[in-house]
Amino acid sequence: MKAIITGITGQDGSHLADLLLEKNYEVVGVARRCSVDTTQRIKHLSSNNKFKLIEGDISDVSSVINIFKNNDDVDEIYNLAAQSHVATSFKQPALTWDITGKGCMNLLQAMVDLDMDAKFYQASSSEMFGSSYDVNEHGEKYQNEETKLMPNSPYAIAKCAAHHAVRIYRDAYGIHASSGILFNHEGPRRGETFVTQKIVKWIVDFKKWLIESDHDTFPIDTTEDHIVIHKSSFPKLRLGNLKAFRDWGYAGDYVEAMWLMVQQQTPDDYVVCTGTTHTIQDFIDIAFQYAGISEFKKTIVIDPEFYRPCEVDYLRGDCSKAKDKLGWEPKYNLERLVKLMIDAKL
Ligand code: NAP
Ligand code: G4F
């Protein structure tokens, strides 16, 4: 079996490549040209002769066509490429549209034009729900495949367009195209500007600074922006909205669901999540406790710079369909995920 993965240098691309190579696939990873090396997450694959890295950009249709023409024997195409940062999408909406929205259309249309019969996976997102949710018989809020999409960011608008494109190309052209509506998933390979990894990185750097400062008890001297020991100082953790709820799972679990979707006889859309939700404050509490840092209120600054023009307040998925039809289950709860991330960074 042969697969193309766009977004190979990202968190999910690297996990999915690991999974497919374990299954003895030939994997072609598409990476865009960059002035610095972006392949840290896939360095361990460089000597694997079943793995090939090629240059390409999904926002450029001729690039997509070249990739497909050069790999016309491909069985599965996973589109994980995106400008995936929600806050950035407010600052660079057109770029986000070109990559995250139009990029998916470029891939689907190229499949039609080249008459390809490969199966297609699209990385849809719980961010598409925005402020929308349903309420179950116990009065609990949740989102599933039937929940209305009400995007609250340029990123989510682009993801909704791509999500609908998958449905239309499936119906109109009979493409085996599925969308995974994945809720937030994290892990040691998560980018450092997403809130979980930002918190984990700060904790680990702070612990190292404490050790270097030869200080084993918590320093109570603080200025507005810094924690101070003698003449040495360490910047406080600067965050935005701590009240939003997220349904966080482990990225390594979630790429298995992607693969399972593509193996089904009939293409479809599936929610992938843990079914539990926590605030950013909860994540901080669990992570600080695990790292043994008390008095954390003195170490955090709420900075308006990290607030978004529009927020997604509540995400909690219901993945009954993925459980029933794919036999998929998440293996990590939040406590286990936090430990994994902190231990890996340490
Ligand atoms: P990520 O770490 O930000 O990775 C995104 C990947 O897309 C990177 O490899 C990036 O390359 C690549 N890319 C960006 N623009 C491109 C372009 N024009 N052409 C080709 N490649 C391009 O994201 P992730 O967390 O792995 O997420 C994977 C996918 O799932 C994304 O589509 C994301 O929107 C979606 N998603 C993620 C989550 C989550 O919680 N992680 C949840 C739902 C959906 P560079 O290395 O060059 O930047
Ligand atoms: O970690 P985040 O940036 O993830 P967000 O916005 O939920 O998006 C992630 O999950 C989506 C799935 O729902 C993906 F589609 C998307 O690609 C991405 O992977 O922010 C999580 C929450 C937000 O409510 C944000 O306002 O954390 C809040 N937050 C508070 N302080 C912060 C910060 N987020 C970031 N990035 N940085 C902060 O300092």
Side-chain angles (χ1 to χ4, degrees):
M1 294 289 277
K2 178 171 175 178
I4 293 176
I5 304 176
T6 72
I8 189 73
T9 56
Q11 171 186 251
D12 292 5
S14 66
H15 279 293
L16 182 65
D18 288 345
L19 180 78
L20 297 186
L21 289 165
E22 260 168 47
K23 294 183 185 297
N24 214 24
Y25 275 59
E26 190 186 333
V27 174
V28 176
V30 180
R32 56 185 172 164
R33 191 254 159 201
C34 190
S35 63
V36 289
D37 185 7
T38 56
T39 60
Q40 304 90 305
R41 295 180 177 109
I42 46 169
K43 276 272 176 286
H44 59 289
L45 303 179
S46 57
S47 59
N48 189 323
N49 58 17
K50 295 211 113 191
F51 179 70
K52 190 172 164 196
L53 193 59
I54 61 168
E55 197 175 297
D57 190 314
I58 64 160
S59 63
D60 182 334
V61 74
S62 61
S63 168
V64 170
I65 287 171
N66 271 332
I67 293 165
F68 286 173
K69 278 189 174 164
N70 291 334
N71 294 281
D72 59 358
D73 55 345
V74 66
D75 300 293
E76 298 173 5
I77 299 163
Y78 294 84
N79 181 32
L80 310 187
Q83 189 306 92
S84 76
H85 202 272
V86 175
T88 298
S89 79
F90 285 100
K91 294 176 185 147
Q92 298 177 29
L95 176 90
T96 303
W97 170 256
D98 281 351
I99 302 171
T100 309
K102 197 185 80 181
C104 175
M105 287 283 281
N106 286 342
L107 291 160
L108 289 166
Q109 187 58 43
M111 286 180 75
V112 172
D113 292 346
L114 298 174
D115 200 18
M116 293 170 73
D117 63 359
K119 295 177 178 175
F120 183 83
Y121 172 85
Q122 167 62 13
S124 287
S125 166
S126 53
E127 183 73 14
M128 301 188 303
F129 294 120
S131 40
S132 168
Y133 55 82
D134 293 305
V135 180
N136 68 18
E137 63 276 22
H138 308 295
E140 298 159 338
K141 295 190 268 184
Y142 70 93
Q143 290 97 2
N144 70 10
E145 295 80 3
E146 309 306 322
T147 305
K148 189 167 70 173
L149 305 180
M150 264 172 64
N152 264 355
S153 64
Y155 167 80
I157 291 169
K159 280 288 179 192
C160 283
H163 185 73
H164 286 302
V166 167
R167 178 178 53 78
I168 289 162
Y169 276 67
R170 183 164 69 204
D171 294 349
Y173 302 108
I175 295 181
H176 190 295
S178 299
S179 290
I181 307 171
L182 270 54
F183 283 62
N184 298 51
H185 46 280
E186 323 287 313
R189 300 182 192 179
R190 186 58 145 154
E192 291 179 351
T193 59
F194 297 96
V195 77
T196 56
Q197 190 73 300
K198 182 174 170 181
I199 294 165
V200 166
K201 181 180 177 341
W202 185 91
I203 286 174
V204 170
D205 289 347
F206 177 62
K207 295 274 286 183
K208 285 182 186 161
W209 175 74
L210 282 179
I211 292 165
E212 278 160 20
S213 312
D214 204 16
H215 214 85
D216 48 11
T217 57
F218 188 80
I220 44 168
D221 286 345
T222 55
T223 66
E224 199 181 324
D225 294 333
H226 285 81
I227 300 153
V228 183
I229 302 174
H230 309 307
K231 284 187 179 155
S232 166
S233 69
F234 190 84
K236 290 184 179 177
L237 172 58
R238 306 186 80 83
L239 294 169
N241 178 19
L242 307 187
K243 293 185 178 147
F245 285 82
R246 289 292 181 274
D247 178 335
W248 281 294
Y250 171 48
D253 283 350
Y254 285 30
V255 295
E256 285 178 18
M258 296 178 189
W259 178 78
L260 284 167
M261 282 176 222
V262 175
Q263 307 319 305
Q264 301 308 300
Q265 192 144 26
T266 313
D268 207 344
D269 303 332
Y270 296 88
V271 157
V272 177
C273 61
T274 68
T276 58
T277 192
H278 297 270
T279 61
I280 319 303
Q281 183 66 61
D282 294 336
F283 187 96
I284 294 169
D285 293 347
I286 295 169
F288 274 56
Q289 194 183 20
Y290 182 62
I293 306 172
S294 56
E295 297 201 53
F296 58 81
K297 284 201 175 92
K298 290 183 179 166
T299 68
I300 295 175
V301 177
I302 300 301
D303 186 340
E305 190 191 324
F306 296 107
Y307 272 80
R308 294 166 186 186
C310 202
E311 180 60 279
V312 171
D313 291 321
Y314 188 89
L315 289 176
R316 184 175 81 88
D318 168 10
C319 63
S320 305
K321 181 175 171 183
K323 283 183 179 166
D324 290 350
K325 298 208 167 162
L326 306 178
W328 178 86
E329 295 253 12
K331 297 185 193 82
Y332 277 72
N333 64 14
L334 187 57
E335 281 75 13
R336 200 170 161 214
L337 176 64
V338 168
K339 286 178 189 168
L340 178 76
M341 291 179 75
I342 293 182
D343 290 347
K345 261 260 183 298
L346 277 170

